[in-house]
């Protein structure tokens, strides 16, 4: 006699066990039609699940009650589509051995082995999709059946599928006493797959789908193991959503910083140097330098002092800070000095011994710095401070090193060495609010200059039920309020996340939304009560007693690598004038105007503008095409007539037509003004906008 509690608190009682589908039908025909799955006591399951005891039931549909797509429903739909794709591929490639096919945030994949070497290619996608469409049209039910573990194993052994057998063994190790299959239709007759589920009710419910790409992988990620083919696909509830996804992917592909970085020669990653280690080419270095100069100048205005610190530090330093031996798996291994190494070798010390003895502090060494804070702390501690000296604000574009698994790195967003726009503020308790506010006002200026107007902040607060936090609760209250107030002052959306604070203090994170709607998590501002204690920092108060300062860590843009990766995609490589590696390309129409072109180029360079003349023998149309591909903001086309009238024909990036003519000096002045003003392309005050503003 199950009593079933629904999300609105109402209860339905039944005399006999009932399926979730039946309950949905009893609630309403509309819900029964939209239902894809069920949540029983919070666990996602099939709609066909029988309810034989009291439980809480929520019917899962693609749309959530509070609006928007239900991610669990979407994930179920995608995994169901993975089954359909696997069946379709098996029809076309009968030798295939299936391994594993989970859903992803953007779709799904299925790992497959092709023992005969006949592997599908992108040319087969249309055929696979056509087979999938047939299976969808047949609208077969996903039918689950369970077998006791041993019986299930015997079945898998008889089918000779070592991959599925391995999946089953792992399920057994995790405590499963039964194995489940999902037949697409009737068990024993239709296609089936060993699977935990859940699935949507039938193949007709999967919506719009597409086979996306192929990649090679290894069984269990082990390179010495069987080579597998990973077939990626995606699925959405509707064709419109799939189409929107494809448009976004295409836009993202055009903006991909890895592709643009290579095409525009902004950075290079070299196997001989090491994966995840960015080599900044001359062009990329210009962007980074301009950005650092800009941020650096704003920091100076706010009373920050520049410092420089080395890339390594002694293990003892990080033992004091708490970075070692914890977080060891995210750091490069330590460096041991020659003499120490020789002594240890003579003792017959093994690598394992060495590692243990370093962790215990019996052997010292150096570490590539994972954080800049300890170095800055030692600068602060190197001199006595009075309450009148505070805040002390130490800033450095500090390079740090973190160990990332090789599978996780790529481009500028996951790297093993990166430069933070770091600073540490040593402040009095009563200065925390003011200083957090200062950090945010700086961020606001920089985002506004870059035209990144859609961003939000997350304020990480204490978990009210936890006692893990260091520092005085009264100070925490003040610091949390300071973070909230500062976040509110930005006038952008912000959320409060209880439990997201570090154990040592509350924080503010920045998330930027790019032009195509993707979110980039950038940097952070963190209040810290812990490191001043660990390093026993103090300043002399007005009472002449020693007082403990509070630290604020801030790297609002995270790292220069990640931030510039984000900027490349934000601007799609078309940087505003001030950030562009080459700002003006001078294009002489012929040899006759070469001298005039050089004169213009020299005049621009003399004013600090990065200008080059294209003296190639190409026709001017070809020169324009090259400059456009290189995304150079302005082209100055000069011919013999321009030389005579001392004028320039101006073209702007992204504008098909010639903007018109401008006197030589006005053009040079205009470009300088636009660069120095750090104006966005086409904004009021730019050379481009001055043409639009001209009458007639
Ligand atoms: Zn499945
Ligand atoms: Zn720090």
């Amino acid at each position: 006699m199950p009593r079933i509690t629904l999300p609105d608190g109402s209860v339905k009682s039944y005399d006999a066990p009932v399926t979730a589908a039946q309950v949905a039908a009893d609630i309403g025909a509309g819900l029964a039609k939209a239902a894809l799955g069920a949540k029983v006591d919070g666990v996602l399951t099939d709609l066909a699940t029988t309810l034989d005891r009291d439980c809480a039931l929520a019917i899962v549909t693609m749309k959530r009650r509070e609006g928007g797509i239900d991610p669990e429903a979407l994930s179920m739909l995608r995994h169901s589509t993975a089954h359909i794709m696997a069946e379709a591929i098996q029809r076309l490639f009968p030798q295939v051995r299936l391994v594993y096919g989970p859903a992803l945030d953007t779709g799904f994949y299925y790992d497959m082995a092709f023992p005969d070497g006949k592997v599908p290619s992108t040319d087969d996608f249309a055929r696979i999709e056509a087979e999938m469409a047939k299976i969808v049209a047949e609208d077969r039910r996903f039918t689950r059946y369970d077998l006791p573990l041993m019986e299930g194993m015997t079945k898998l052994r008889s089918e000779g599928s070592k991959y599925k057998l391995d999946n089953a063994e792992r399920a057994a190790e995790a405590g499963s006493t039964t194995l489940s299959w999902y037949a697409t239709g009737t068990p024993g007759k239709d296609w089936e797959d060993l699977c935990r589920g859940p699935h949507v009710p039938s193949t007709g419910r999967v919506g719009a789908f597409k086979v996306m790409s192929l990649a090679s992988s290894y069984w269990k990620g082990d390179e010495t193991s069987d080579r597998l083919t990973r077939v990626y696909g995606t699925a959405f509830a509707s064709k419109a959503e799939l189409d929107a996804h494809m448009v976004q992917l295409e836009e993202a592909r055009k903006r991909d910083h890895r592709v643009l970085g290579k095409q525009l020669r902004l950075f290079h990653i070299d196997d001989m140097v090491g994966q995840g280690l960015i080599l900044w080419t001359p062009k990329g270095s210009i962007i980074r330098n301009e950005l650092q100069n800009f941020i650096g100048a704003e920091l100076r205005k706010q009373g920050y002092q520049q410092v420089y610190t080395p890339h390594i530090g002694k293990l003892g330093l990080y033992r004091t800070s708490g970075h070692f031996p914890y977080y060891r798996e995210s750091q490069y291994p330590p460096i041991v000095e020659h003499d120490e190494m020789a002594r240890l070798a003579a003792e017959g010390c093994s690598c394992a011994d060495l590692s243990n003895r370093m962790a215990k502090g019996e052997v010292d060494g150096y570490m590539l710095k994972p954080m800049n804070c300890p170095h800055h702390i030692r600068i602060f501690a190197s001199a006595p401070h009075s309450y009148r000296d505070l805040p002390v604000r130490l800033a450095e574009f500090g390079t740090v090193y973190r160990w990332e698994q090789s599978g996780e790195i790529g481009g500028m967003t996951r790297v093993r060495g990166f430069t933070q726009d770091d600073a540490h503020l040593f402040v009095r308790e009563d200065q925390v609010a003011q200083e957090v506010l200062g950090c945010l006002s700086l961020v606001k200026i920089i985002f506004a200059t870059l035209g990144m107007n859609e961003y939000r902040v997350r304020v990480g607060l204490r978990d009210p039920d936890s006692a893990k936090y260091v520092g005085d609760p009264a100070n925490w209250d003040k610091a949390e309020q300071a973070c909230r107030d500062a976040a509110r002052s930005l006038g952008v959306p912000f959320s409060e996340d209880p439990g997201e604070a570090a154990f040592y203090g509350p924080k503010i994170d920045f998330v930027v939304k790019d032009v195509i709607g993707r979110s980039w998590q950038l940097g952070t501002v963190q209040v810290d009560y812990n490191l001043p204690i660990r390093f026993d920092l103090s300043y002399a108060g007005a009472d002449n007693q020693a007082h403990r300062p509070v630290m604020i860590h801030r790297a609002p843009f995270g790292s220069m690598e990640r931030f510039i990766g984000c900027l490349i995609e934000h601007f799609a490589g078309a940087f505003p004038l001030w950030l562009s590696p080459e700002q003006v390309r001078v294009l002489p129409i012929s040899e006759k105007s070469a001298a005039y072109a050089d004169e213009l180029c020299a005049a621009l360079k003399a004013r600090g503008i990065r200008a080059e003349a294209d003296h190639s023998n190409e026709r001017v149309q070809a020169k324009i095409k090259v400059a456009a591909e290189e995304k150079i903001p302005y082209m100055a086309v000069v011919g013999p007539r321009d030389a005579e009238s001392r004028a320039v024909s101006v073209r702007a990036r992204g504008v098909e037509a010639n903007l018109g003519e401008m006197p030589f000096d006005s053009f040079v002045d205009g470009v300088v003004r636009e660069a120095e003003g750090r104006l966005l392309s086409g904004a009021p005050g730019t050379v481009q906008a001055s043409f639009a503003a001209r009458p007639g």
Side-chain angles (χ1 to χ4, degrees), residues 79-80 83 101 142 182 193-199:
H79 172 64
S80 300
H83 276 231
F142 282 99
Y182 278 81
D193 197 6
L194 176 76
C195 177
R196 267 188 319 221
H199 281 270

Side-chain angles (χ1 to χ4, degrees), residues 135-163:
I135 299 167
V136 169
E138 287 159 17
D139 195 21
R140 287 187 250 139
R141 298 189 71 77
F142 282 99
T143 315
R144 179 186 173 119
Y145 69 93
D146 289 63
L147 292 178
L149 186 64
M150 295 321 288
E151 201 180 319
M153 290 289 206
T154 307
K155 170 177 156 68
L156 289 170
R157 254 179 237 116
S158 74
E159 289 166 359
S161 171
K162 70 169 178 177
Y163 305 113

Side-chain angles (χ1 to χ4, degrees), residues 34-39 43-47 59-62 70-84 101-104 107-108 142 182 197-202 205-206 235:
L36 290 173
K39 255 187 159 175
V43 180
L44 193 66
T45 183
D46 298 322
L47 203 58
I59 301 299
V60 174
T61 64
M62 193 48 76
D70 182 336
E72 286 181 316
L74 189 58
S75 161
M76 209 159 52
L77 176 135
R78 286 173 172 167
H79 172 64
S80 300
T81 314
H83 276 231
I84 295 170
L104 301 169
F108 59 85
F142 282 99
Y182 278 81
H199 281 270
V200 298
S202 67
R205 302 295 299 280
V206 300

Side-chain angles (χ1 to χ4, degrees), residues 232-464:
Y232 285 97
T234 195
F236 287 86
S238 71
K239 172 92 169 42
E241 283 159 317
L242 174 64
D243 289 348
H245 175 72
M246 296 309 291
V247 168
Q248 195 194 49
L249 275 187
E250 176 60 17
E251 197 48 43
R253 196 189 56 76
K254 278 192 265 175
R255 289 170 177 268
D256 188 329
H257 75 277
R258 292 166 300 185
V259 176
L260 284 172
K262 195 171 227 169
Q263 192 184 314
L264 300 172
R265 302 181 62 86
L266 301 178
F267 67 92
H268 174 60
I269 300 170
D270 194 297
D271 265 336
M272 276 183 85
V273 175
Q275 280 304 304
L277 299 171
I278 302 293
L279 300 173
W280 293 81
T281 57
K283 286 184 175 178
S285 301
I286 288 170
I287 297 170
R288 174 168 163 171
N289 248 322
E290 288 287 353
L291 207 55
Q292 287 189 186
N293 289 342
F294 172 43
I295 296 172
E298 290 299 324
L299 288 173
R300 277 194 298 281
K301 285 186 209 162
Q302 289 204 7
Y304 284 74
Q305 296 168 291
Q306 170 75 52
V307 295
Y308 292 103
T309 63
H311 289 223
I312 64 172
K314 283 166 88 175
L315 284 183
L317 178 72
Y318 300 109
R319 214 172 270 120
T320 303
S321 71
H323 291 114
F324 185 84
Y326 311 104
Y327 311 115
R328 227 187 322 189
E329 65 291 345
S330 63
Q331 295 162 357
Y332 277 90
I335 304 159
V336 180
E337 280 178 37
H338 290 300
D339 294 354
E340 187 78 337
M341 200 63 119
R343 190 177 63 78
L344 291 163
E347 278 178 28
C349 174
S350 71
C351 291
D353 289 343
L354 175 60
S355 177
N356 278 333
R357 288 168 70 178
M358 284 206 279
K360 282 191 207 146
E362 294 167 9
V363 174
D364 209 354
Y366 291 85
M367 222 164 69
L368 283 169
K369 67 178 175 189
M371 294 274 210
N372 299 303
C373 347
H375 288 71
H376 292 181
I377 287 171
R378 296 309 295 163
I379 292 178
F380 177 82
S382 66
H385 294 277
S386 125
Y387 67 99
R388 272 175 303 222
D389 307 336
L390 268 42
V392 169
R393 309 178 186 92
L394 303 180
E396 177 181 18
F397 289 100
T399 305
V400 297
Y401 299 88
R402 310 261 171 92
W403 182 258
E404 297 263 10
Q405 296 294 322
S406 59
E408 294 170 357
I409 55 184
M412 292 175 113
T413 49
R414 293 299 284 269
V415 288
R416 286 179 177 163
F418 55 91
T419 303
Q420 294 178 310
D421 60 315
D422 213 356
H424 293 94
L425 291 78
F426 300 85
V427 310
R428 300 193 308 259
E429 199 72 66
D430 61 291
Q431 294 170 323
V432 171
Q434 186 58 37
E435 291 305 309
V436 169
L437 204 60
C439 293
L440 296 205
S441 70
L442 173 87
V443 175
K444 196 170 178 166
I445 291 168
I446 291 164
F447 278 154
T449 305
L450 293 166
M452 304 177 103
N453 302 318
E454 266 204 78
Y455 61 100
R456 61 192 165 87
V457 292
R458 284 197 302 243
V459 183
L461 307 170
R462 274 168 301 183
D463 171 356

